[in-house]
Amino acid sequence: FGYLHSLSEPVQVAPPEGYPATTEKWELSRAQLHAFIELVYTRFFESPELFGLPKGADSYLIKEGDEKDKKSELKRKYKQIHTVIDRGLDFLMQLGVRGEAVDDAMLVTPDAYADILQSSKVGKKFIQALMACGVEIQSGQAAVMVRHMGFPLMADAWAALAHACAEHKQALVGRFNFARCDFRALLGDYVPDALTLYRFFSEEEQAHLRDLHEFLLKLHYKPLITISEMPYWMVQYQGPRKIKSSPFFQVELSERYLNPLQVYVKLVSVDRLAPLMSGQPDFLQADLFTRAYKCNGDACGWCKTRPYVGPSVLEYKGQQRSVCWYSNPDLMAMDDQTTALVKQYALFHQELA
């Protein structure tokens, strides 16, 4: 589902330089390749057993507090799943790079095809599943022909996108762009921006994320994009380093969780916030009072080796807590309450300047 939902929205991008056909044919080729990739991803979701993938639910972690053995088991399962899919996508990308788009097919020499099979490590079951999706693979003495009669014009766009993604200076981002079928890859070393990545989530969640994105930009925060592999990525908002040297707010896509949208607010040391806490709105005071971890005193001793952080005492409505310098970063949902809280924490941090 993550692959299907991560597909790029249709975008109009000019054909590569020297493209011999008409603009109309290019647009048809681009649209057909996008439709073909969407078909394959839909089959991942609807008939995973065709590709050698397991059926059934496979996301059951709620938060990082879940048992260590459960996280390890889920990580192992996901590695198996993504290994199968990533090898299949690598197979398709290498065909686009090393093949030649001729009429309605991609042609590749028999030696190159054998090398692609070996280097991509694609499984036989994955190739059989592609053929079940309508892909034809015909071997001849001079060439191996790969085509899909339902998408007879996709070869040109396939080759163009594969070459652009293979030439990206960040190999992982190039592979990510190919997997998303994002033709903005033809514009150079393209990296999807934060709002493009947020399209994965629901419209309501996107609205809250856009609101926070625009708010933080006005406070001179910079979104830092990290793409590790499909479909995993992270956006971290780095503010003025004189306030906090590490990112303050983080948005992450993680399929391990029942809700793949994971958001975090990473505050400065609580002992810096404590003296100013009473001047904040009640909803922030209540959150910080519970968000800060309890100080474990001599049983921890972490602060003794770090002179610039230490425990502090928080007071809220007549109650006191001796707390650690570090606070729980977890935010449970991207809603009105979370949006207001992150905004207020950002303004609170501005006071530290």
Side-chain angles (χ1 to χ4, degrees), residues 216 219-222 237-246 350 353:
L216 292 173
L219 295 181
H220 307 293
Y221 280 77
K222 181 179 180 181
Y237 288 83
Q238 176 64 60
R241 293 185 183 273
K242 63 183 179 180
I243 298 174
K244 190 175 187 296
S245 60
S246 58
Q350 294 293 103

Side-chain angles (χ1 to χ4, degrees), residues 49-232:
E49 67 280 1
L50 282 178
F51 298 85
L53 302 173
K55 292 188 70 173
D58 48 19
S59 294
Y60 55 85
L61 288 187
I62 304 301
K63 269 293 181 183
E64 289 293 348
D66 284 1
E67 295 89 342
K68 184 177 180 180
D69 59 342
K70 188 182 290 187
K71 289 192 287 187
S72 298
E73 173 66 10
L74 189 59
K75 184 177 181 180
R76 182 188 65 79
K77 287 182 178 180
Y78 265 84
K79 184 176 181 180
Q80 290 177 336
I81 293 169
H82 288 292
T83 295
V84 171
I85 297 175
D86 291 345
R87 287 175 177 178
L89 290 175
D90 189 35
F91 169 74
L92 291 174
M93 184 168 163
Q94 286 195 49
L95 279 176
V97 171
R98 302 184 64 176
E100 179 183 2
V102 177
D103 297 329
D104 63 353
M106 187 70 71
L107 302 182
V108 61
T109 67
D111 287 345
Y113 185 75
D115 186 54
I116 291 170
L117 289 176
Q118 183 177 14
S119 60
S120 68
K121 300 180 181 179
V122 65
K124 290 182 180 180
K125 198 161 188 175
F126 193 97
I127 293 178
Q128 291 170 353
L130 288 178
M131 296 175 74
C133 291
V135 174
E136 297 180 17
I137 302 178
Q138 300 178 10
S139 298
Q141 290 186 342
V144 176
M145 180 179 68
V146 183
R147 66 180 180 181
H148 192 298
M149 294 310 296
F151 309 104
L153 299 178
M154 73 176 182
D156 287 330
W158 181 1
L161 180 63
H163 276 94
C165 292
E167 293 168 0
H168 200 290
K169 64 182 179 182
Q170 299 181 58
L172 283 175
V173 178
R175 292 167 60 88
F176 184 82
N177 288 338
F178 182 81
R180 292 187 70 244
C181 199
D182 194 335
F183 280 89
R184 283 167 290 202
L186 273 66
L187 303 177
D189 287 319
Y190 166 75
V191 179
D193 62 23
L195 297 184
T196 296
L197 295 173
Y198 294 162
R199 286 187 64 257
F200 183 95
F201 306 118
S202 71
E203 291 186 5
E204 181 180 356
E205 290 168 332
Q206 287 184 60
H208 288 300
L209 289 170
R210 278 195 302 270
D211 186 12
L212 273 178
H213 177 83
E214 294 168 1
F215 182 85
L216 292 173
L217 288 186
K218 290 178 181 178
L219 295 181
H220 307 293
Y221 280 77
K222 181 179 180 181
L224 307 176
I225 311 293
T226 300
I227 293 173
S228 55
E229 56 187 2
M230 181 73 165
Y232 297 115

Side-chain angles (χ1 to χ4, degrees), residues 258-269:
L258 294 173
N259 179 6
L261 170 57
Q262 297 295 300
V263 284
Y264 307 90
V265 59
K266 300 189 175 184
L267 308 179
V268 298
S269 179

